[in-house]
Amino acid sequence: MEVQKNIAPLVEARNLTKIFTVSRGQLHAVDGVDFSIFPGQTLGVVGESGCGKSTLGNTVLRLTEPTSGEMYFEGKEYSKANRRAMREMRKDMQMIFQDPYSSIDPRMCVSDIIAEYMIINRTYPTKSEIYAQVEKLMDTVGLAKRLADAYPHELDGGRRQRIGIARALSLNPKFIICDEPVSALDVSIQAQILNLLMDLQDELKLTYMFITHNLSVVKHISTDIMVMYLGKCVERAPSDELFSDPKHPYTQALLSAIPIPDISMRNKEIQLIQGEVSSPINPKPGCRFAARCPLAQPECSENDPALNEVMPGHSVACHRVR
């Protein structure tokens, strides 16, 4: 999707930080992250498990309260908004959760799950109007009407995730965070859900933050991609440019590990990342990736690299990339 970037961002974060206090000290889950997402755009957030992707998504929606930093939605700062203001704002900001089974109430049938948000927010004056909208939402996400009275345990993973998508759409949001929405699904079902999300984006003019560890998936759906490592953004670029010209050593290693279904590429060299992942608890000064980076210099372990724009729209946090 082509996005006009001469307009204001829909969602923006500046120096967003989330630190958890644990028995051994301060765990830096999200550490000084900046991003802007424009209307109709999809920002892909990638990185290995434990890098802070899901915590970032939860913090953006204030399901987890930020430690510091600023967040803006349609130009309005909301990181310190009160509960009533957030309740109104969340009508425009929704989430599709990673596990389609644990994120829905197993004691409720499909139609009641989808109707729940509309009932709580009194979106329509009568229940008959709400359940009429439920039927439309089920049709929109590809759920047969005969499943309206079914329970989650009677359905497969793909249908459960469609329930989660319908519920997220029920309040007509402008922005949806997709937290690994296809990671728990079979490959064939993944493609169906991804295509559904892209069709809905075009039809409803939605804006996404798409969190995943699957680089093949993120390339398919994203406009821009942000690569995270231990709470830090190490690279951010347009999707095509990131895949064609990755700058950060960590990004290069991730891309080299993508399997290619081509027998002529069976001898392709994979950049293995050596060493142990550093602890995010009380992190030492310097680049978080330095202990595993094959290009690391003494400076990398002493000074934290800033995220600098090396090309228009392409930013990298690395001392060796200027």
Side-chain angles (χ1 to χ4, degrees), residues 9-205:
L10 181 71
V11 184
E12 190 174 7
R14 300 175 188 170
N15 198 31
L16 185 59
T17 300
K18 178 59 187 177
I19 299 174
F20 295 97
T21 300
V22 297
S23 59
R24 291 192 292 150
Q26 303 288 306
L27 191 156
H28 292 239
V30 178
D31 202 349
V33 171
D34 299 318
F35 66 81
S36 298
I37 313 176
F38 292 82
Q41 184 181 33
T42 298
L43 174 65
V45 182
V46 300
E48 57 194 298
S49 297
C51 73
K53 305 185 300 295
S54 293
T55 302
L56 175 64
N58 289 334
T59 305
V60 169
L61 284 188
R62 284 188 60 191
L63 301 178
T64 299
E65 290 294 334
T67 302
S68 62
E70 299 175 347
M71 296 185 291
Y72 298 85
F73 182 77
E74 295 185 320
K76 299 177 182 178
E77 211 279 339
Y78 68 92
S79 57
K80 299 178 180 65
N82 60 32
R83 187 172 181 176
R84 177 178 292 183
M86 280 307 304
R87 179 168 178 168
E88 286 299 312
M89 188 167 287
R90 285 203 179 100
K91 295 177 183 179
D92 289 326
M93 306 168 70
Q94 289 293 314
M95 177 175 272
I96 300 169
F97 295 92
Q98 178 175 357
D99 187 342
Y101 189 65
S102 64
S103 63
I104 54 182
D105 191 333
R107 298 168 297 180
M108 297 173 69
C109 66
V110 171
S111 59
D112 288 343
I113 293 169
I114 298 172
E116 183 178 17
Y117 289 3
M118 292 185 283
I119 293 171
I120 291 171
N121 288 278
R122 301 176 182 176
T123 307
Y124 297 94
T126 65
K127 281 198 173 182
S128 61
E129 290 178 88
I130 288 175
Y131 281 92
Q133 181 64 16
V134 168
E135 285 190 18
K136 293 179 182 178
L137 287 167
M138 289 181 66
D139 183 61
T140 298
V141 301
L143 282 170
K145 291 181 181 179
R146 61 182 172 81
L147 300 175
D149 295 324
Y151 286 84
H153 72 273
E154 300 176 285
L155 307 176
D156 59 30
R159 288 190 178 94
R160 291 174 191 158
Q161 195 59 288
R162 290 175 191 271
I163 295 170
I165 295 170
R167 182 178 61 178
L169 293 174
S170 63
L171 298 180
N172 297 314
K174 299 175 182 177
F175 174 58
I176 298 178
I177 294 180
C178 307
D179 186 8
E180 305 222 31
V182 297
S183 65
L185 306 177
D186 293 336
V187 173
S188 59
I189 306 300
Q190 285 185 15
Q192 294 175 21
I193 297 299
L194 283 174
N195 289 332
L196 172 61
L197 288 171
M198 294 175 71
D199 290 343
L200 289 172
Q201 184 174 41
D202 289 337
E203 180 182 345
L204 303 175
K205 311 303 179 187

